Amino acid sequence: DEDSFTKVLDLMNRRVRNLNPSADYLEVNVDSHSSDGLVAPGGEVMGIVVEEYWRTNGAVPLLLSSSDYRTIEEGLKRSLGKCVVNALCLMVGEEEFLRMATICRHYGAAVVVLALDEYGPAKSLQEKLTILKRAYALLVDTVGISPHDVWLDVQVLPLGSGESARLPSESLEAISELRDSCPGARLLAGVQNLSLAFRQDQQLRGCLHAAYLKEAVR
């Protein structure tokens, strides 16, 4: 209803006012549970928020997030500037992946790519590299998306013990390999995930993030 839309727009405007000047993008995350094949209610919310953002601000690109791709597409249709789609993955099958990617290219959107394929999430460093390289080739060579509009997510997992101990270093290996094999692509690493086990110690978290980023940009 109108009151709900007003609250959503008020929330967005507050977030925009508090936006860090160095931010690369502003995320708009809208979900929906419609399965009737029509534009879901979330799509209308996404569209209104996107329109209002570009009408009143538009300082940085928008990162459009939703589990329903129709909601993301509605945001793309009503955007007046650069958007990043969060996210595409091969888990939906190659045909659907290409269809979604073609829509993104039509609207000039960049795309975040997750390391998931038809068999699920990558279970090893080699699987992660294989999936992301395959997705990159499809996006650049088949769909024609600019390499600079392909954002490959190396999916940093939390520090821990046992089998998870090598996961951060494996993501660094993935960054190094993808930098060479997927020229022009942007590489994403959610460093906040790295230190989830240390939520109560912000100083330690900051040190871990700084150390990881230092290695990642080498």
Side-chain angles (χ1 to χ4, degrees):
D1 57 32
E2 185 175 344
D3 184 54
S4 296
F5 280 131
T6 299
K7 290 178 180 178
V8 169
L9 293 177
D10 285 345
L11 174 61
M12 183 205 68
N13 288 326
R14 288 200 301 273
R15 293 292 174 84
V16 169
R17 286 195 297 271
N18 295 325
L19 188 66
N20 189 316
S22 64
D24 293 318
Y25 56 79
L26 176 66
E27 183 174 13
V28 179
N29 193 327
V30 178
D31 233 317
S32 172
H33 303 289
S34 174
S35 59
D36 56 11
L38 304 174
V39 174
E44 184 63 19
V45 173
M46 176 73 85
I48 289 174
V49 170
V50 168
E51 279 187 349
E52 178 68 10
Y53 172 76
W54 289 113
R55 185 183 69 81
T56 60
N57 190 278
V60 296
L62 288 177
L63 181 75
L64 306 183
S65 300
S66 178
S67 61
D68 188 331
Y69 196 75
R70 295 166 300 172
T71 296
I72 289 178
E73 188 175 352
E74 192 66 18
L76 292 174
K77 288 177 181 177
R78 296 163 74 167
S79 176
L80 299 177
K82 187 72 173 182
C83 289
V84 183
V85 169
N86 185 30
L88 297 186
C89 69
L90 285 160
M91 190 166 62
V92 297
E94 190 169 299
E95 183 178 349
E96 180 65 6
F97 177 86
L98 291 171
R99 187 189 74 82
M100 292 173 162
T102 300
I103 292 171
C104 292
R105 179 181 180 274
H106 174 75
Y107 291 106
V111 294
V112 175
V113 182
L114 305 180
L116 295 89
D117 66 4
E118 297 87 342
Y119 302 99
K123 300 179 182 64
S124 67
L125 171 62
Q126 191 53 52
E127 282 188 16
K128 179 182 294 186
L129 292 172
T130 299
I131 293 170
L132 292 178
K133 288 178 185 179
R134 176 187 168 201
Y136 173 88
L138 289 170
L139 292 169
V140 174
D141 299 332
T142 303
V143 179
I145 291 178
S146 167
H148 301 290
D149 281 339
V150 178
W151 297 21
L152 303 176
D153 189 348
V154 300
Q155 293 173 296
V156 178
L157 298 177
L159 278 170
S161 57
E163 292 184 0
S164 66
R166 266 188 51 79
L167 291 176
S169 61
E170 285 190 352
S171 67
L172 289 171
E173 291 177 45
I175 288 171
S176 178
E177 171 67 23
L178 293 169
R179 187 180 287 127
D180 293 334
S181 57
C182 300
R186 300 184 71 171
L187 303 177
L188 302 183
V191 293
Q192 293 290 337
N193 293 342
L194 184 70
S195 60
L196 284 178
F198 309 102
R199 295 185 189 89
Q200 305 306 315
D201 192 335
Q202 293 303 312
Q203 185 174 3
L204 175 58
R205 295 193 76 184
C207 291
L208 287 171
H209 299 166
Y212 182 92
L213 289 171
K214 181 180 178 180
E215 293 298 319
V217 299
R218 281 187 175 181

